[in-house]
């Protein structure tokens, strides 16, 4: 258990460092550039994602509701 706990902490640290490197300039060095997304594009994307999620029932509805609740709690605690 101790080894797994240490591994998970290290795994999360490496993930954070990788994300920071990619978003901190590594993507740009590879030729990618950030493009702003319009409000209408974002709204359309999220609407289509919701429609697909409602159509394709991969996760039981009760489980999905619980997940949404946890996500809302997390977002409320980490709002910028």
């Amino acid at each position: 258990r101790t080894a797994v706990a240490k591994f998970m902490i290290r795994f999360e640290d490496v993930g954070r460092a990788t994300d920071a490197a990619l978003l901190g300039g590594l993507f740009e060095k590879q030729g990618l550039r950030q493009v702003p997304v319009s409000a209408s594009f974002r709204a359309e994307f999220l609407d289509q994602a919701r429609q697909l999620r409602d159509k394709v029932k991969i996760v039981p509805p009760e489980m999905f509701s619980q997940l949404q609740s946890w996500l809302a709690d997390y977002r409320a605690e980490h709002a910028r």
Side-chain angles (χ1 to χ4, degrees):
R1 289 183 193 187
T2 302
V4 170
K6 288 180 182 180
F7 171 77
M8 290 305 298
I9 291 169
R10 178 68 181 138
F11 188 78
E12 290 173 7
D13 288 344
V14 169
R16 276 191 219 99
T18 301
D19 289 349
L22 291 170
L23 298 174
L26 195 55
F27 277 140
E28 287 83 4
K29 288 180 183 177
Q30 297 299 316
L32 296 176
R33 61 185 175 94
Q34 196 170 23
V35 178
V37 176
S38 69
S40 62
F41 179 86
R42 178 179 168 77
E44 183 180 349
F45 176 85
L46 292 174
D47 182 53
Q48 289 184 14
R50 279 186 211 96
Q51 288 178 30
L52 182 61
R53 180 188 67 219
D54 293 342
K55 185 178 180 180
V56 179
K57 305 274 186 194
I58 296 173
V59 177
E62 305 81 30
M63 186 183 293
F64 190 76
S65 292
Q66 182 65 52
L67 176 61
Q68 284 184 308
S69 174
W70 291 337
L71 186 56
D73 291 347
Y74 176 84
R75 287 177 173 160
E77 290 177 17
H78 296 84
R80 292 183 186 183

